[in-house]
Amino acid sequence: MKNLLLVLLFTGISNLLYAQTFSVKGQVKNQQNEVVSFATLAIHANKDSSLIKADIADENGGFKINNLKAGRYFIKITAVGFSPFNSPVFELVDKDLDFQPFTISSDTKQLSEVKVVAAKPLIEVQNDKIVFNVESSINAAGLNGLEILQKSPGVQVDKDENILVKGKAGVRIYIDGRPSPMSGKDLASILKSMNSSDIEAIEIITNPSAKYDAAGDLGIINIRLKKNKKLGTNGTVNLGSNWGITPKFNGSVNLNHRDKKVNIFGNYSYNQGAWHNQTLDDQILNNIAYNKTWKGIYRDTSHNAKIGMDYFINSKHTLGFNANGRATDHNGGGESQTLIGNKALAQPDSAILNSRTSNPEKNKNLNLNLNYRYADTTGHELNVDADYGIFTSRGVSYQPNTYEFPNSDRPSFSRNFVTKTPIDIRIKSFKVDYEQPFKKGKLGYGIKLSDVKSDNTFDFFNVLNDIEIRDFDRSNNFVYTERVYAAYINYNKSLNKKWDLQVGLRAERTHSLGNLTSYKQNDLDKVDTTYFNLFPSGAISFKVSEHHNLNLNYSRRINRPSYQNLNPFEYRVDELVYSKGNPFLRPEYANNFKLTHVYKGKLTTSLGYWRTRFPVVGLRLPYDQSRTYFIARNLNYSQGFSLDMSLATDITKWWNIYINVSGYTNVWRGNFENGLVINNSTIAANANAQSTFKLKNNWTIELSGWYNSPYRRIDYNRAMGTMDAGVQKKFWKDNATLKVSFTDVLHTGRGGYHSEYAGVYTNLRFKWESQQLRVNFTYRFGSNEIKAARNRRSGSEDELNRIKGG
C-alpha cells in the first residue's frame, strides 16, 4: 500500500510539472534606445531550432508570450528596416522570465531592398492569373473602373459597354472576390462610379480551379480594392479632377488601424461629373432608311464606402466582418434626331423624329460578410463565409417623341411615354473551404449554398395631356429565384523538383423558377428548370530549366443567363426599338485549354483553345414594318484559338517597358427556326503597351496605349485604340505623389460596327469624351510597418454578377 501511494504521488508530481507552463516578456528597442513597434518575435527550441510560438510586439515594443513548457529556447526578432536578432539561449525551469530590453540594429541594405520591393511591376504573370497593378501606372490616375479594364491585358469594352476577352463575352466580373450585382449597362454604371484610387489591382484568371464557382465561360476578372496592410494607424487621402468637355471630380480617404489583436479598416470615395458621347446610327429596314444622330451626356454622382474588422483570437483563429455599400445617382439622357425616308425614292427626310430623353436612376447596393479562419503551422486551414447582399434600383425613363414632315402638309404630332423599372435583388450564400496536407501534397475541399431572389417590375405609361396613363398590356412583374448547391475537391502536389500537378472536380446542382405576372395573356408565365453539372479542372507545370517553365491547364465552365434575359415579356427601349426576354435560354458550357511558357520571368507566351456549346448572343430583328427588337438567343457552338505574348523588362536602369499582344480567331455557328443562319468567323488582335522613364529627383514619365483590331461576332466591329502620356513627382519623403496625364493624345477614341442580317442593315459609329487632362494628388500618413493582410474571397460569387439592367 505504501509503495502504491509513493507511485501515485510521484505520478501526480510528474503530471503537475509536465502541465505547468511559463511566460516570457520584454521589450524591443533600437540602437537609439527608441521602442520598435510591432516587431515579430518567434520562440524556437534550442535543440533543433523548431518554431514553438510566434507573436507581435505592441506599439510600445512590449511583448508577453504565454503557455511555454519547461525547456531551453531562444527568441528570434525581425522587423522591417532592422537586421534579424537572435537572443541568447535561456531555460524555463520553475518561473516566468522578464528580460531586459532587446536592442536590434538598423539594416541600411534591407531598408533599400524594402523600398525596391514596394514598387510593384505594372504586370505580374503568375501561374493561374495575370495581375495588372493599377497604382504602378501614372496614366491610370483619374480613370474610372471601366476605363481601367479597357487598358488591362486581353480585355476589350465594346460599343454597348460589355466586357469582352478575346472578342467574346462570358467573363465574370468580381469586386473584392464577390461580383457586382449587375451586368450589362448597370454593371458599366457601377464600374464608372469607381475611381482608380480605390483599385489596387486587376486580376485576370482565365482558367480558375475547382475552388472557384464554375460560372464564367472565359474565367474571372477580379477587381481587387485597396486594403491597408500596415501595422499601427495609417491612411491615405486622394484628390483628383479630370478636365474634358466638362470638369469631373473625385476623392477618397482610406483609414486603417492594425495591432497584434485587431485590424480595423474603412474607406470612402466620391465621384461626380458628366461624360459626353455622340453616336451616328444608320439603319435600313424594309427599304426605309433611319439616320439617327445622338448626342448624349451621362451625369453621375456616386458614394462608395467599406468598413470591416479582423479579430485575431490567437495565432490560429481569426474572426472577421466587413460591409461595403454603394449609392449612385445617375442620368444617361440626351438628344437625338432621326431622319426617316424611302431609300429607293431618295427621300432621306420625308419624316423627322426628334427625341429628348432623360433616364434618372438611383441604385443602392449593400453587401455584408461574416467570416472565420483557422490556420495552424502544419498546413491545415479552414475558411467559413456567410454573405448577405441586397441591390435596389429605381429607374425612370422619360421619352418624348415628336414627328415632323418637312416635305408635306401633314401636321407634326407627338408620342410620349414613361417607363418605371424598380428592381429588388436579395442574395444569400454560405460556403466552407478546408485545406490539409495529404500524400505530400495539399488537398482542398468545400461546399457552397447560394439563394437568389430577383424581383423586376416594368411599368409602361403613355403620356396624354401631361397625364401618365398605365398601359397594362405592356406592364409586368417578373420574380426569379435560383438556388445553387455546390461541392468541390482539389489536389495540388509537387511530383519532384521539376513537375507540379493540380487536379479538381466541382459539382453544381441548380434549381431556378421564374414567375411572370402580367395583365396581358402570356403562355410562358412560369419557367421551372433544374440541372446538374460536373466541372473538372487541372494543371500541370514543368520546370524545363532555370530560365524556362511550362504550364498546361484545363477547365470546364458554365455561363448562366442573366436574370432579366429570362423574362419572357417585351418592353420598349425607345420609340423605334423594343427588347424581349427569352425564357428558353440555355446556359453556356465551355471547355478551355491553355499552354503557357515563361522565359526568365520576363517573356510569357500562351497558346489557348476553347469551345463553347450554346453561346448566347444578342440579335437585332424586325419587330414590325418600322421597328426592331433585341433578343438573346443560343447559337449551336463557338470555338477559337489564341496566341498571347507578354514582355516586361528593363531596357536600362531608368527605362522599362511592358508589351502585351493577343491574337485570336473565333468561329460562330447557329441555325434558327426563321431561316436565319449565323456562320461567322474572325481573326483579330489587341495590344497594350507601357513605357516608363525614371528620372532624377523622383520624377517619372510614362507613355501608354491600347489597340483593338477590327473583329467580328454577329457584327463587324471597327478598330479602336488610344495613347496616353503622363508625368509623376514624389515628394515629402515619398509620402506625397502628384500625377498629371493627358489621355488620347492622338484623338483616336472612337469606334463602331456594321451588320446585315434578318432584313436589318445597321451602320453605327460612336465617340466619347476620350481627351482629358487628369490631375491626381495622393498623400499617405501614419505607420509604414508592413504586415501581410488577409486575402479573402467571400461566398457571394457568380450569383452577384448576373443582374442585367433593362
Side-chain angles (χ1 to χ4, degrees):
M1 184 70 178
K2 182 178 179 182
N3 290 337
L4 177 62
L5 289 174
L6 289 173
V7 170
L8 292 175
L9 179 62
F10 178 77
T11 302
I13 294 173
S14 299
N15 288 340
L16 180 62
L17 291 173
Y18 180 79
Q20 187 175 4
T21 59
F22 306 96
S23 67
V24 295
K25 67 178 182 178
Q27 191 180 31
V28 183
K29 292 187 176 183
N30 61 20
Q31 293 168 306
Q32 288 73 42
N33 202 35
E34 300 169 335
V35 299
V36 178
S37 302
F38 310 117
T40 299
L41 300 104
I43 304 289
H44 293 267
N46 182 54
K47 62 179 181 180
D48 57 6
S49 297
S50 60
L51 176 65
I52 304 300
K53 204 162 192 178
D55 209 338
I56 300 175
D58 61 26
E59 59 184 6
N60 296 314
F63 66 89
K64 183 177 183 180
I65 302 175
N66 301 308
N67 300 319
L68 296 172
K69 297 176 183 179
R72 290 170 61 82
Y73 304 96
F74 68 91
I75 301 176
K76 183 175 182 178
I77 303 175
T78 57
V80 175
F82 294 88
S83 300
F85 172 87
N86 289 345
S87 74
V89 176
F90 60 90
E91 186 172 9
L92 293 174
V93 179
D94 55 1
K95 66 178 181 179
D96 299 334
L97 294 182
D98 186 356
F99 294 107
Q100 293 294 319
F102 292 115
T103 301
I104 60 178
S105 304
S106 299
D107 187 343
T108 306
K109 178 180 179 181
Q110 184 183 359
L111 281 172
S112 63
E113 289 174 350
V114 168
K115 187 173 182 179
V116 171
V117 171
K120 292 183 179 180
L122 178 71
I123 301 292
E124 295 178 87
V125 180
Q126 302 178 8
N127 283 337
D128 60 340
K129 60 190 172 185
I130 297 175
V131 181
F132 173 32
N133 292 305
V134 175
E135 196 171 29
S136 298
S137 172
I138 298 172
N139 291 331
L143 297 179
N144 62 49
L146 191 66
E147 292 169 324
I148 289 174
L149 279 181
Q150 194 167 44
K151 290 176 175 288
S152 301
V155 180
Q156 300 163 262
V157 178
D158 72 4
K159 61 187 183 301
D160 297 317
E161 297 181 331
N162 297 309
I163 298 163
L164 313 176
V165 174
K166 297 176 175 56
K168 190 173 180 291
V171 67
R172 289 302 181 193
I173 304 299
Y174 291 70
I175 299 175
D176 256 0
R178 59 178 72 87
S180 164
M182 283 152 289
S183 63
K185 289 191 175 295
D186 278 345
L187 173 60
S189 297
I190 286 296
L191 294 176
K192 287 189 286 189
S193 74
M194 300 170 61
N195 192 269
S196 61
S197 61
D198 302 325
I199 300 173
E200 180 178 347
I202 305 291
E203 298 175 336
I204 304 166
I205 310 171
T206 53
N207 280 358
S209 70
K211 185 175 181 179
Y212 291 86
D213 281 10
D217 60 352
L218 285 177
I220 294 168
I221 295 178
N222 182 39
I223 301 174
R224 196 171 73 227
L225 302 180
K226 290 181 178 178
K227 182 178 179 180
N228 208 309
K229 302 175 184 178
K230 297 177 181 178
L231 292 165
T233 301
N234 46 73
T236 303
V237 175
N238 183 87
L239 297 172
S241 66
N242 306 341
W243 299 83
I245 298 175
T246 54
K248 306 140 184 65
F249 303 97
N250 61 80
S252 66
V253 58
N254 186 311
L255 296 173
N256 185 84
H257 174 78
R258 184 183 182 110
D259 57 31
K260 60 191 295 184
K261 295 297 292 183
V262 69
N263 179 38
I264 301 173
F265 54 90
N267 58 58
Y268 166 79
S269 65
Y270 172 80
N271 266 310
Q272 184 273 327
W275 288 261
H276 296 254
N277 60 84
Q278 184 174 339
T279 300
L280 301 176
D281 186 1
D282 299 330
Q283 177 183 298
I284 298 176
L285 174 64
N286 294 319
N287 214 33
I288 302 297
Y290 301 84
N291 305 111
K292 179 179 179 179
T293 300
W294 163 268
K295 294 182 179 180
I297 182 169
Y298 179 88
R299 295 180 174 87
D300 181 81
T301 300
S302 62
H303 304 266
N304 302 270
K306 180 177 182 179
I307 188 170
M309 180 182 73
D310 296 326
Y311 176 64
F312 309 108
I313 301 172
N314 54 38
S315 60
K316 297 181 180 179
H317 301 271
T318 304
L319 188 64
F321 168 80
N322 65 74
N324 63 77
R326 181 177 290 109
T328 62
D329 185 351
H330 58 258
N331 190 327
E335 298 180 352
S336 69
Q337 182 178 81
T338 304
L339 305 181
I340 306 173
N342 189 303
K343 182 177 182 292
L345 299 178
Q347 293 179 330
D349 56 353
S350 58
I352 299 176
L353 169 60
N354 294 300
S355 180
R356 185 185 182 95
T357 63
S358 178
N359 304 303
E361 183 175 333
K362 295 181 182 293
N363 295 332
K364 294 180 180 179
N365 177 214
L366 176 65
N367 294 296
L368 306 175
N369 170 260
L370 181 65
N371 59 77
Y372 164 78
R373 178 176 183 261
Y374 167 84
D376 62 20
T377 57
T378 63
H380 295 79
E381 182 174 337
L382 172 69
N383 285 279
V384 181
D385 282 270
D387 287 85
Y388 181 78
I390 56 174
F391 169 73
T392 64
S393 175
R394 297 296 179 265
V396 182
S397 179
Y398 300 97
Q399 300 201 16
N401 302 281
T402 301
Y403 286 88
E404 299 176 352
F405 306 92
N407 297 327
S408 71
D409 295 331
R410 184 178 176 183
S412 62
F413 67 93
S414 297
R415 281 209 299 243
N416 305 329
F417 59 89
V418 175
T419 60
K420 299 179 180 180
T421 53
I423 300 173
D424 294 282
I425 297 171
R426 183 218 63 206
I427 299 172
K428 295 183 290 185
S429 72
F430 176 79
K431 77 182 183 86
V432 179
D433 299 298
Y434 184 72
E435 288 185 342
Q436 68 176 63
F438 180 75
K439 300 290 185 180
K440 297 183 179 181
K442 179 163 285 189
L443 178 68
Y445 42 90
I447 61 170
K448 178 184 174 183
L449 310 174
S450 68
D451 182 87
V452 178
K453 181 180 180 181
S454 175
D455 190 333
N456 308 268
T457 298
F458 180 82
D459 286 330
F460 186 94
F461 299 85
N462 292 300
V463 180
L464 301 174
N465 299 320
D466 295 329
I467 299 175
E468 296 179 3
I469 302 173
R470 178 179 290 177
D471 187 334
F472 291 99
D473 287 343
R474 293 178 175 171
S475 301
N476 79 95
N477 173 256
F478 183 66
V479 178
Y480 179 83
T481 58
E482 179 185 88
R483 290 183 178 177
V484 179
Y485 307 87
Y488 77 90
I489 185 169
N490 197 65
Y491 183 63
N492 291 274
K493 183 178 182 179
S494 292
L495 303 178
N496 52 46
K497 293 182 178 181
K498 288 183 174 291
W499 292 92
D500 292 320
L501 177 69
Q502 177 265 316
V503 292
L505 180 66
R506 187 178 186 90
E508 293 189 354
R509 181 184 183 272
T510 304
H511 176 244
S512 61
L513 176 65
N515 281 301
L516 173 68
T517 302
S518 63
Y519 293 91
K520 184 178 179 180
Q521 178 63 33
N522 196 312
D523 296 332
L524 302 174
D525 58 352
K526 180 178 289 189
V527 181
D528 195 340
T529 307
T530 300
Y531 48 92
F532 174 83
N533 298 112
L534 295 175
F535 301 97
S537 63
I540 187 166
S541 299
F542 175 58
K543 186 176 182 180
V544 181
S545 66
E546 181 182 358
H547 299 314
H548 296 271
N549 291 276
L550 290 172
N551 177 271
L552 175 65
N553 59 41
Y554 160 78
S555 67
R556 184 173 188 254
R557 313 284 298 164
I558 187 174
N559 194 27
R560 298 180 179 91
S562 67
Y563 307 136
Q564 282 70 38
N565 268 347
L566 295 169
N567 184 347
F569 211 75
E570 68 180 39
Y571 62 94
R572 183 183 289 186
V573 178
D574 60 31
E575 175 69 3
L576 298 175
V577 180
Y578 285 74
S579 181
K580 293 183 179 182
N582 182 0
F584 300 110
L585 278 179
R586 304 173 68 174
E588 302 178 356
Y589 294 96
N591 289 282
N592 302 315
F593 299 84
K594 191 174 185 179
L595 175 64
T596 301
H597 171 257
V598 180
Y599 174 66
K600 287 187 174 182
K602 297 180 179 181
L603 177 63
T604 302
T605 307
S606 299
L607 178 65
Y609 169 77
W610 63 91
R611 184 180 175 93
T612 302
R613 293 176 61 207
F614 317 124
V616 176
V617 297
L619 299 177
R620 187 175 187 175
L621 303 173
Y623 181 83
D624 56 21
Q625 293 297 312
S626 60
R627 290 172 290 186
T628 58
Y629 73 95
F630 289 101
I631 188 169
R633 298 293 301 270
N634 289 106
L635 298 181
N636 296 344
Y637 73 91
S638 68
Q639 67 179 8
F641 292 89
S642 66
L643 178 62
D644 304 330
M645 298 185 67
S646 297
L647 174 65
T649 188
D650 293 327
I651 304 299
T652 66
K653 292 182 179 180
W654 50 269
W655 179 19
N656 63 71
I657 63 170
Y658 166 75
I659 301 173
N660 172 264
V661 179
S662 299
Y664 60 90
T665 175
N666 278 334
V667 174
W668 309 82
R669 298 288 187 267
N671 296 280
F672 301 102
E673 64 281 352
N674 58 2
L676 175 63
V677 176
I678 301 297
N679 186 8
N680 296 344
S681 62
T682 191
I683 298 176
N686 53 59
N688 302 76
Q690 178 168 307
S691 206
T692 304
F693 306 89
K694 298 178 181 179
L695 310 180
K696 295 181 178 180
N697 301 320
N698 283 332
W699 284 93
T700 305
I701 295 175
E702 180 181 287
L703 296 175
S704 63
W706 60 272
Y707 172 77
N708 296 332
S709 76
Y711 67 95
R712 186 183 186 189
R713 287 185 294 165
I714 304 302
D715 310 315
Y716 292 90
N717 293 268
R718 293 182 172 88
M720 297 173 59
T722 65
M723 187 181 78
D724 306 335
V727 61
Q728 171 184 283
K729 168 66 176 176
K730 289 187 175 183
F731 47 97
W732 296 346
K733 297 182 179 180
D734 288 353
N735 290 319
T737 304
L738 179 66
K739 299 179 180 179
V740 180
S741 62
F742 187 72
T743 62
D744 193 10
V745 175
L746 303 179
H747 204 195
T748 55
R750 63 199 67 195
Y753 73 94
H754 68 276
S755 64
E756 186 172 5
Y757 59 88
V760 180
Y761 170 82
T762 303
N763 182 22
L764 183 141
R765 294 87 68 206
F766 64 89
K767 61 180 180 179
W768 68 97
E769 193 180 348
S770 58
Q771 281 197 326
Q772 296 182 27
L773 177 66
R774 303 175 186 267
V775 181
N776 186 271
F777 173 77
T778 301
Y779 179 69
R780 300 173 182 83
F781 57 90
S783 171
N784 289 316
E785 299 287 340
I786 297 175
K787 171 72 174 178
R790 269 206 315 159
N791 291 324
R792 182 154 215 96
R793 285 191 313 117
S794 78
S796 302
E797 297 190 343
D798 126 78
E799 55 277 353
L800 277 168
N801 197 37
R802 290 169 46 222
I803 303 160
K804 180 179 179 181

